Amino acid sequence: MTSSEILFDSPADPVVEGPVLQVEDLQVSFPSEAGRVHAVRGLSYEVSPGEVLGIVGESGSGKSVSSLAVMGLLPPSARISGSIKFQGRELIGRSDAELSKIRGRRISMVFQDPLSALTPVYTVGDQIAEAILVHRKGSVSKAAAAKRAAELLDLVGIPNAAERAKAFPHEFSGGMRQRAVIAMAIANDPDLIIADEPTTALDVTVQAQVLQLLETAQEVTGAGIVIITHDLGVVAGFADRLMVMYAGRAVETGKVDDIYSQPRMPYTLGLLGSIPRLDVGEKQALVPITGQPPSLTDLPPGCPFAPRCPMVVDACHTAEPPLINVDGSAEHHAACIRTGEIAATDTEGAEAAAEIFGAEVVEAAEIAKVPREERRVVLGLDALVKEYPVNKGVVFKRRVGTVHAVDGITFDIREGETLGLVGESGCGKTTTLMEILGLEKPMGGEISVLGTNVSELDAKRRKAIRRDMSVVFQDPMASLDPRLTIHDVIAEPMQVHGYGKDEINRRVPELMRLVGLRPEQLSRYPGEFSGGQRQRIGIARALALEPKLVVLDEPVSALDVSIQAGVINLLEELKSSLGLAYLFVAHDLSVVRHIADRVAVMYLGKIVEIGDVDSVFEAPRHPYTQALLSAIPIPDPAKERQRERILLTGDLPSPANPPSGCRFRTRCFLHASLPPEKQRTCIELEPPREVQALDHEAACHFAQIRQVL
Amino acid sequence: MAGFLLRRLVNYVVLALVATFLAFTLASVTFDPIGVLEQRKPPPPAATIEAKRKDLHLDQPIPQRFVTWMSGVVRGDFGHTITERPITDELGRRVGVSLRLFLLGITLGIGFGVLLGVVSAIRQYKFSDYFATLFSFVLLSTPVFVLGNLLKIGAQDINDAVGTNVLLFVGETTPNFQGTWFEHLWDRLQHLIVPTLTIALGQIAYYSRYQRSSMLDVLGSDFLRTAQAKGLTRRQALFKHGLRTALIPMATLFAFGFGLLVVGGTFTERIFNWFGMGHWLIEGISTQDTNVTATVTLFVAVCVLFSGWLADVLYAALDPRIRVN
Ligand SMILES: Nc1ncnc2c1ncn2[C@@H]1O[C@H](COP(=O)(O)OP(=O)(O)OP(=O)(O)O)[C@@H](O)[C@H]1O
Ligand code: SF4
Ligand code: SF4
Ligand SMILES: [Mg+2]
């Protein structure tokens, strides 16, 4: 980062007193078929120079709309009122031409989806250079801008920047594209950077890199930052102040530490209580916020959170509560008429949330009390291998290589047990699942279900075994046929397996109740349900045949946190009451810690560490596990600021051409710190999986405990 | 990249040959020139008929006839018409006449079509968009001969209003026209306007519809927003980032659009009495002339496939992702 001085030599910027951004009573509405959507309803906030403001809220709460309003990028159909002052100058009402002089120069923005944020037909370098040229026509030559673009790419950590600047966006990974967008955002040394969910679409390791990068960007530019997120963990260590939004308004604002330790509005409490914590060992009661955010077309009078609030009283329905000072602090505000009572309880934070929302720890199943060795193996993988050919040519395909998607993995799952399978995207999780679900003879190794080796199955036995195993997919929308009623969706597996009509008609409503839905809704179609409800339907369908093992592929990652908590609780209850075993694939390690009994960490088609959840999370031995865990933010500002991040460099190497010896060595920080003769061991020898502790194995030549939580 | 375009070109040459062969075969099987001859009153002598049969190689199997004809074509000899005139002599002039019409039509069609599509998309649901939509649908559902005749009537009205014949719509030039080269050019231009319009209007309607929808896709895209967030005005972002991307799918359409054009062109030539290739095809079919039919088919195939190839080139030029792979 030494080049930063040369890059940001902007002397002419006037030093402005007071806040960089001042939003007052902002209202934004859109026309829609159902009437006007009031997306933002009277929002006021400020950002001081160099300050980081976090905006948190559920999907649809108006986070993006309010920031697009600041940028002047709302569609023409939007109706805006109120005031947005940037460095004392009013922005509302200015023409596009005037705003374009400020956009990218004084205020810049980083968007959520890096994959589509860059124009596909121009090189990354050109697009960054354009950001400079558009504001400094005449004073900066094209060549100088191109050179600076390369410097900026270097600054945001793209290796070989001068070369990579000539690449097109599709040649960059998601993380690299987000870096390029950040390079663009800091190109003109702005005074305010708005980042709208900058890490949502990224892997945790990349998320940690991007957050770090934003911190660096803030240091070099001294800009104020608005970071929008729905993940309370992300902003805990980064933001100075926090604003929680609900239904287009701020419902709680204050210093980050105050809000995390003393939330004073039930919605904030719920949000905090709904996050599974990576750093909590004992079973935690997750708070589900029931119901859905209100429709913004015609809100009834009163508190918009009332329909979902556990503390609601009649007075809540009379008028919308304004933001008022709480705890006698001039900086901490909450919009709730009962905030005083919340302050008066003797519990705080997540505990208070569990109490107020009445969440309870789910009891473990009977079977889980039997020692692991004595329980039956439900699923066993032994050195499973799956390879894909890499072909070139259109007409005459030539095989030019092999992708080792799954390269010899071994684990077993016993009755009543949950195994979490984690790793970055592209490490082979989904391939492993597909191999298991296919029940075909694998390319290499063995798969056995309930003690039967699947290679020896005939068609009839295979069908019988399918009954014992079912699956729930990630995307609740895509995995349900939109033309079938819910009844048919749930009944389908039973029909396939020849259940009688009476039996089906008896069981379907029973399953609906089991997953917490009302049987009266059976004649509806999937489109009429929310994401969380659809996921429940998916679970009901998976349970139809009374399986022993349920394979869950990222079952909650498409859901908002508050909804996610409900689904996790449901999965835990079902596991406990039905004695199910789960294979739970996820990239969110906090969820895995909460729900799993054992965890397997995959890297490039291999398991690098496996074992009891508490042992692996508290005393990780493999450098990759340590890096993964350290990348996960913890929703606790004090802890988060003290944590030392292990940042992995670069992206996952191509599985078609994995590094020799230990596959992780190209990104391994431990390897980098070893003396050369030890490094040679990593390069030449593939580390075997070795027992580290009771039910805890890791594959590293130099495995050593490192606490990262 | 060059290799890719070369391979495509070879593919297209093969396709053109196949298309011509099929047309030749179909014509040879269905046409019965001898029958026409025999039905003349008074019937020609048997010797004449026999000589004609020999001359047309009707005693040979069809593939052999095709090879004979094709080997002539390669040397630049397209054979004779049924009335014994060498096709090659007439070919150059007719190709010139048709290409003038086609090229102008397609250039105007693409140019204005794209423009209209972009404007429609940007002003979605405004009056100009509704108007453009209506305009396109009316044109696309009007058969060319109706449109051509309507334009003729319109042109006549204009001429009447002006008082002299500014817009001429019979033939491609005034017969036995005398004058300087400039006057020649002016005369041809006067003949060109109405037929070109007949062809171009349909093309504009066709391209504008597709351009509108591909532009709409781009309008809601994230990268356009990024471009504006950098400091480009909406207009700059639209033209620099939006249009370029929205044009990519249009390149592929180009090949199909040309097919449409050729069909329209055939009718247009008839309506305005232009002795071009389309006119010739109709003539060839009505006189049961295999060689003429095959020649025109070959011409059309070459045009369509060349435009297909051009579409590939355009696609590669617009979309760098193709070039990189
Ligand atoms: N262009 C638009 N036209 C109509 N309604 C819109 C438009 N953009 C947003 N809205 C509505 O405004 C409300 C707030 O949306 P916004 O995108 O700000 O939510 P968000 O908090 O950013 O959610 P997310 O977490 O999903 O990004 C939603 O009800 C949304 O449907
Ligand atoms: S005002 Fe009432 S309904 Fe709203 S959050 Fe407070 S207690 Fe709940
Ligand atoms: S074996 Fe070497 S390279 Fe691999 S994880 Fe251990 S230290 Fe790192
Ligand atoms: Mg958003």
Side-chain angles (χ1 to χ4, degrees):
Chain A
M1 302 296 157
T2 46
S3 56
S4 54
E5 287 85 24
I6 343 162
L7 275 163
F8 298 100
D9 53 346
S10 47
D13 285 2
V15 184
V16 185
E17 295 286 319
V20 248
L21 181 70
Q22 222 174 341
V23 174
E24 233 159 284
D25 195 28
L26 179 70
Q27 316 247 5
V28 182
S29 63
F30 299 96
S32 85
E33 276 155 29
R36 281 204 92 73
V37 178
H38 299 276
V40 179
R41 308 175 303 116
L43 184 68
S44 307
Y45 65 91
E46 286 184 1
V47 184
S48 309
E51 186 189 37
V52 181
L53 171 73
I55 301 184
V56 189
E58 261 170 299
S59 186
S61 55
K63 307 180 299 279
S64 300
V65 170
S66 54
S67 351
L68 287 173
V70 174
M71 294 294 285
L73 290 180
L74 284 175
S77 63
R79 196 190 290 158
I80 310 169
S81 69
S83 153
I84 300 174
K85 283 207 180 80
F86 174 72
Q87 296 183 332
R89 284 170 296 172
E90 180 62 51
L91 296 187
I92 288 182
R94 287 193 189 242
S95 71
D96 186 43
E98 280 175 297
L99 285 174
S100 71
K101 294 204 180 70
I102 300 175
R103 278 200 303 257
R105 170 79 190 83
R106 299 307 191 85
I107 313 178
S108 53
M109 187 152 182
V110 178
F111 297 99
Q112 172 168 2
D113 188 0
L115 292 181
S116 54
L118 294 168
T119 310
V121 294
Y122 296 114
T123 64
V124 174
D126 281 352
Q127 296 191 51
I128 299 173
E130 188 183 28
I132 300 163
L133 286 171
V134 72
H135 293 288
R136 296 169 199 241
K137 272 239 173 67
S139 63
V140 176
S141 73
K142 272 200 167 158
K147 192 162 156 276
R148 246 174 84 135
E151 284 170 354
L152 282 163
L153 274 179
D154 186 52
L155 179 71
V156 297
I158 304 266
N160 250 332
E163 193 49 44
R164 299 302 281 157
K166 296 189 196 105
F168 288 95
H170 73 278
E171 298 169 76
F172 271 33
S173 69
M176 286 164 80
R177 283 185 229 186
Q178 196 62 305
R179 284 160 195 271
V181 174
I182 293 176
M184 233 178 249
I186 60 174
N188 294 305
D189 189 13
D191 301 310
L192 179 70
I193 301 174
I194 301 177
D196 188 356
E197 312 224 14
T199 60
T200 302
L202 305 173
D203 257 319
V204 277
T205 51
V206 185
Q207 161 170 308
Q209 293 167 4
V210 169
L211 284 177
Q212 183 84 47
L213 179 60
L214 277 173
E215 270 174 61
T216 312
Q218 204 246 347
E219 277 160 28
V220 294
T221 60
I225 293 196
V226 175
I227 177 163
I228 298 174
T229 176
H230 63 259
D231 182 348
L232 276 166
V234 167
V235 285
F238 184 28
D240 302 312
R241 280 194 310 120
L242 205 63
M243 172 164 83
V244 180
M245 282 188 76
Y246 189 78
R249 289 190 71 175
V251 291
E252 182 155 4
T253 63
K255 287 219 193 81
V256 163
D257 298 73
D258 291 346
I259 293 195
Y260 281 81
S261 58
Q262 294 127 31
R264 289 295 176 251
M265 146 89 194
Y267 178 60
T268 318
L269 272 164
L271 279 184
L272 277 168
S274 66
I275 320 173
R277 294 275 295 251
L278 193 62
D279 55 337
V280 175
E282 73 269 21
K283 280 290 172 211
Q284 192 191 341
L286 284 194
V287 171
I289 306 179
T290 48
Q292 285 166 56
S295 136
L296 296 171
T297 37
D298 56 331
L299 274 175
C303 175
F305 188 58
R308 305 170 75 187
C309 182
M311 294 178 68
V312 62
V313 289
D314 286 345
C316 298
H317 297 291
T318 43
E320 189 159 357
L323 275 174
I324 49 167
N325 283 4
V326 292
D327 294 354
S329 151
E331 285 184 72
H332 193 170
H333 308 272
C336 169
I337 57 167
R338 299 187 67 187
T339 171
E341 291 162 59
I342 300 174
T345 55
D346 13 298
T347 47
E348 282 299 357
E351 233 178 285
E355 209 165 276
I356 289 171
F357 281 83
E360 275 167 26
V361 174
V362 178
E363 283 300 315
E366 279 307 307
I367 181 89
K369 295 183 184 123
V370 180
R372 181 161 198 271
E373 304 73 51
E374 289 165 27
R375 279 179 266 149
R376 200 146 68 115
V377 175
V378 184
L379 173 76
L381 299 192
D382 189 19
L384 178 73
V385 173
K386 171 74 186 181
E387 293 168 355
Y388 295 106
V390 183
N391 293 327
K392 245 190 132 159
V394 187
V395 187
F396 302 104
K397 288 206 178 12
R398 288 167 289 137
R399 185 171 175 146
V400 292
T402 306
V403 173
H404 307 274
V406 173
D407 203 6
I409 67 172
T410 303
F411 63 72
D412 58 13
I413 299 178
R414 294 184 187 245
E415 239 174 321
E417 175 178 271
T418 302
L419 176 77
L421 189 61
V422 299
E424 280 167 286
S425 72
C427 72
K429 300 186 299 265
T430 304
T431 312
T432 310
L433 284 196
M434 289 308 154
E435 285 300 288
I436 296 170
L437 292 171
L439 286 180
E440 302 291 331
K441 183 178 165 49
M443 245 175 192
E446 266 175 26
I447 301 174
S448 56
V449 178
L450 292 165
T452 330
N453 186 340
V454 300
S455 320
E456 292 152 11
L457 292 177
D458 53 25
K460 203 164 146 230
R461 294 262 295 135
R462 185 165 291 130
K463 187 169 169 187
I465 284 220
R466 267 187 219 290
R467 291 181 56 161
D468 293 320
M469 209 166 73
S470 60
V471 61
V472 176
F473 290 106
Q474 170 176 16
D475 187 349
M477 186 67 209
S479 55
L480 301 179
D481 186 337
R483 288 157 306 181
L484 295 182
T485 62
I486 300 307
H487 181 277
D488 294 344
V489 165
I490 300 178
E492 199 185 358
M494 292 187 268
Q495 284 156 355
V496 170
H497 283 270
Y499 278 53
K501 218 176 166 117
D502 294 341
E503 166 108 47
I504 292 178
N505 287 342
R506 186 181 56 77
R507 223 172 126 57
V508 171
E510 199 178 284
L511 284 163
M512 278 295 266
R513 269 190 294 269
L514 194 61
V515 297
L517 294 173
R518 291 199 310 274
E520 301 90 78
Q521 296 174 322
L522 275 172
S523 55
R524 302 222 201 145
Y525 291 88
E528 299 169 52
F529 292 84
S530 71
Q533 289 175 320
R534 270 187 231 135
Q535 202 54 296
R536 285 170 192 265
I537 294 165
I539 294 170
R541 179 188 154 98
L543 295 178
L545 300 175
E546 298 176 73
K548 305 274 187 311
L549 171 73
V550 182
V551 175
L552 302 139
D553 188 6
E554 302 264 7
V556 294
S557 61
L559 307 175
D560 254 318
V561 259
S562 58
I563 311 286
Q564 174 182 313
V567 175
I568 294 177
N569 284 350
L570 171 70
L571 286 171
E572 283 196 295
E573 283 157 22
L574 291 172
K575 177 185 151 192
S576 158
S577 60
L578 305 176
L580 299 171
Y582 290 148
L583 172 58
F584 192 100
V585 175
H587 67 266
D588 186 339
L589 276 88
S590 318
V591 173
V592 169
R593 168 135 217 200
H594 181 85
I595 199 168
D597 303 303
R598 301 179 77 236
V599 61
V601 183
M602 266 185 98
Y603 186 78
L604 273 187
K606 286 202 176 292
I607 289 183
V608 295
E609 187 154 8
I610 184 168
D612 176 70
V613 177
D614 292 329
S615 181
V616 171
F617 278 48
E618 265 148 38
R621 315 293 165 112
H622 196 283
Y624 180 60
T625 315
Q626 293 162 0
L628 268 188
L629 287 172
S630 108
I632 314 263
I634 298 174
D636 182 337
K639 253 194 192 174
E640 190 60 21
R641 277 183 221 120
Q642 278 164 12
R643 269 174 91 198
E644 215 185 308
R645 282 259 135 82
I646 306 170
L647 284 185
L648 284 186
T649 45
D651 294 311
L652 206 64
S654 155
N657 190 10
S660 68
C662 174
R663 297 186 166 200
F664 184 56
R665 69 179 164 82
T666 50
R667 298 168 78 195
C668 179
F669 57 92
L670 181 59
H671 173 78
S673 69
L674 290 173
E677 70 279 2
K678 286 190 170 173
Q679 286 194 340
R680 211 165 317 123
T681 320
C682 302
I683 298 173
E684 286 163 6
L685 279 181
E686 188 173 332
R689 216 159 99 181
E690 281 164 352
V691 176
Q692 308 286 338
L694 187 67
D695 190 17
H696 189 162
E697 295 172 29
C700 167
H701 293 300
F702 306 100
Q704 49 178 290
I705 297 179
R706 175 169 171 158
Q707 263 158 355
V708 286
L709 293 179
Chain B
M1 186 61 229
F4 167 75
L5 289 178
L6 198 72
R7 271 202 307 280
R8 292 300 280 253
L9 193 61
V10 172
N11 278 348
Y12 285 143
V13 167
V14 173
L15 275 177
L17 274 180
V18 170
T20 316
F21 175 69
L22 288 179
F24 190 93
T25 311
L26 196 67
S28 307
V29 171
T30 48
F31 292 173
D32 182 14
I34 302 300
V36 175
L37 215 57
E38 281 166 344
Q39 268 156 30
R40 280 215 198 136
K41 300 236 153 69
T48 316
I49 290 178
E50 198 43 42
K52 191 80 193 168
R53 195 189 296 277
K54 265 247 142 50
D55 184 44
L56 292 175
H57 304 299
L58 293 185
D59 45 350
Q60 293 171 1
I62 293 173
Q64 196 184 339
R65 275 188 257 161
F66 179 72
V67 170
T68 315
W69 180 74
M70 210 55 219
S71 57
V73 169
V74 193
R75 279 179 278 110
D77 175 10
F78 286 80
H80 288 71
T81 64
I82 204 126
T83 49
E84 301 290 330
R85 276 181 303 153
I87 290 184
T88 315
D89 288 358
E90 213 173 325
L91 186 64
R93 194 186 55 74
R94 286 197 183 251
V95 165
V97 168
S98 285
L99 278 187
R100 194 183 323 151
L101 201 60
F102 288 1
L103 290 181
L104 255 178
I106 200 158
T107 314
L108 291 176
I110 291 177
F112 285 100
V114 165
L115 201 69
L116 191 67
V118 170
V119 171
S120 270
I122 296 178
R123 328 216 74 218
Q124 194 190 10
Y125 303 140
K126 298 243 171 70
F127 174 76
S128 37
D129 179 33
Y130 286 123
F131 181 77
T133 306
L134 189 71
F135 165 84
S136 310
F137 282 127
V138 167
L139 278 176
L140 283 176
S141 51
T142 312
V144 184
F145 56 88
V146 176
L147 181 67
N149 284 310
L150 283 176
L151 284 175
K152 260 188 186 175
I153 298 170
Q156 190 54 54
D157 286 350
I158 291 179
N159 287 344
D160 292 347
V162 176
T164 62
N165 283 350
V166 248
L167 300 171
L168 306 174
F169 40 78
V170 180
E172 45 117 4
T173 174
T174 312
N176 309 320
F177 187 78
Q178 300 291 325
T180 62
W181 71 265
F182 182 78
E183 284 164 336
H184 262 291
L185 189 71
W186 176 241
D187 175 63
R188 285 187 181 239
L189 211 63
Q190 281 179 303
H191 283 87
L192 201 56
I193 292 173
V194 185
T196 306
L197 216 55
T198 311
I199 285 196
L201 281 177
Q203 294 272 303
I204 293 175
Y206 172 78
Y207 285 111
S208 72
R209 286 289 85 196
Y210 286 101
Q211 180 67 47
R212 177 179 181 272
S213 76
S214 97
M215 193 71 190
L216 279 179
D217 284 346
V218 169
L219 279 182
S221 69
D222 287 354
F223 63 79
L224 212 63
R225 204 173 52 181
T226 310
Q228 282 177 271
K230 279 198 278 202
L232 274 72
T233 59
R234 182 153 179 85
R235 180 182 301 262
Q236 283 171 328
L238 273 179
F239 282 93
K240 189 156 176 224
H241 290 259
L243 186 57
R244 164 87 183 264
T245 317
L247 277 175
I248 294 172
M250 299 300 289
T252 328
L253 272 183
F254 181 63
F256 296 102
F258 203 87
L260 205 71
L261 177 81
V262 170
V263 177
T266 310
F267 285 105
T268 311
E269 285 179 10
R270 274 298 278 202
I271 300 164
F272 296 100
N273 265 328
W274 281 44
F275 295 100
M277 296 300 276
H279 200 278
W280 210 9
L281 179 67
I282 296 170
E283 207 176 286
I285 293 171
S286 57
T287 55
Q288 313 242 325
D289 188 333
T290 303
N291 283 358
V292 166
T293 310
T295 303
V296 178
T297 309
L298 181 62
F299 166 76
V300 172
V302 167
C303 282
V304 169
L305 297 175
F306 180 73
S307 64
W309 184 75
L310 212 60
D312 289 342
V313 175
L314 262 176
Y315 197 92
L318 285 171
D319 194 346
R321 287 168 291 187
I322 305 287
R323 267 177 279 158
V324 172
N325 293 334

